[in-house]
C-alpha cells in the first residue's frame, strides 16, 4: 500500500468516525470551562471555588459540535429552498 493510499484511507476513516460522533452525540463539553459551567477560582487558602458563569456556554456546560452545526445549517438551507408541495402541471389550451 502506498503512502498516499494509506493517508487517504486514514483521513476517510477519521471523517466517518467524526460523522458518527456528531450523529450519536451532537453536544460536547464546553472547551473554555471544560464542562464545569463556571470558571474555577482559588480563595485565599488555595481551595477551589466556583467563579463566574462561563460566557461561552452560559453555564449550560455543553456546546454543539462543529460538524453538527454545519449539518444543521445545511439542513435548514435545504428545507428553506425545497417547496413543501410540488406544483401540479396544468396543460394550457
Amino acid at each position: 500500500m502506498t503512502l498516499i493510499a494509506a493517508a487517504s484511507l486514514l483521513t476517510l476513516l477519521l471523517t466517518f468516525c467524526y460523522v458518527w460522533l456528531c450523529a450519536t452525540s451532537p453536544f460536547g463539553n464546553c472547551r473554555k470551562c471544560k464542562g464545569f459551567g463556571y470558571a474555577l477560582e482559588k480563595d485565599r487558602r488555595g481551595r477551589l471555588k466556583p467563579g463566574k458563569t462561563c460566557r461561552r456556554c452560559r453555564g449550560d456546560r455543553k456546546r454543539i459540535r462543529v460538524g453538527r452545526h454545519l449539518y444543521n445549517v445545511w439542513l435548514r438551507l435545504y428545507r428553506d429552498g425545497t417547496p413543501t408541495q410540488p406544483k401540479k402541471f396544468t396543460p394550457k389550451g
Side-chain angles (χ1 to χ4, degrees), residues 12 21 35 39 41 49-50 58 72 81 83 88 91-92:
L12 191 63
L21 180 67
E41 294 180 351
K49 65 175 191 165
R58 292 182 223 103
N72 289 347
K88 293 185 178 181
K92 294 181 180 180

Side-chain angles (χ1 to χ4, degrees), residues 19-80:
V19 167
W20 178 79
L21 180 67
C22 289
T24 58
S25 177
F27 296 99
N29 288 336
C30 177
R31 289 181 291 227
K32 186 170 185 177
C33 65
K34 297 178 182 73
F36 286 112
Y38 49 81
L40 291 175
E41 294 180 351
K42 291 183 181 179
D43 61 2
R44 286 186 278 165
R45 295 184 179 188
R47 292 183 292 201
L48 293 176
K49 65 175 191 165
K52 293 182 179 179
T53 304
C54 178
R55 293 188 315 182
R56 183 179 288 177
C57 67
R58 292 182 223 103
D60 289 336
R61 301 184 296 191
K62 295 293 180 182
R63 63 168 178 86
I64 193 161
R65 295 187 193 276
V66 174
R68 184 61 183 220
H69 176 71
L70 292 175
Y71 173 74
N72 289 347
V73 168
W74 173 80
L75 195 62
R76 191 177 311 121
L77 283 172
Y78 178 76
R79 286 181 182 161
D80 290 347

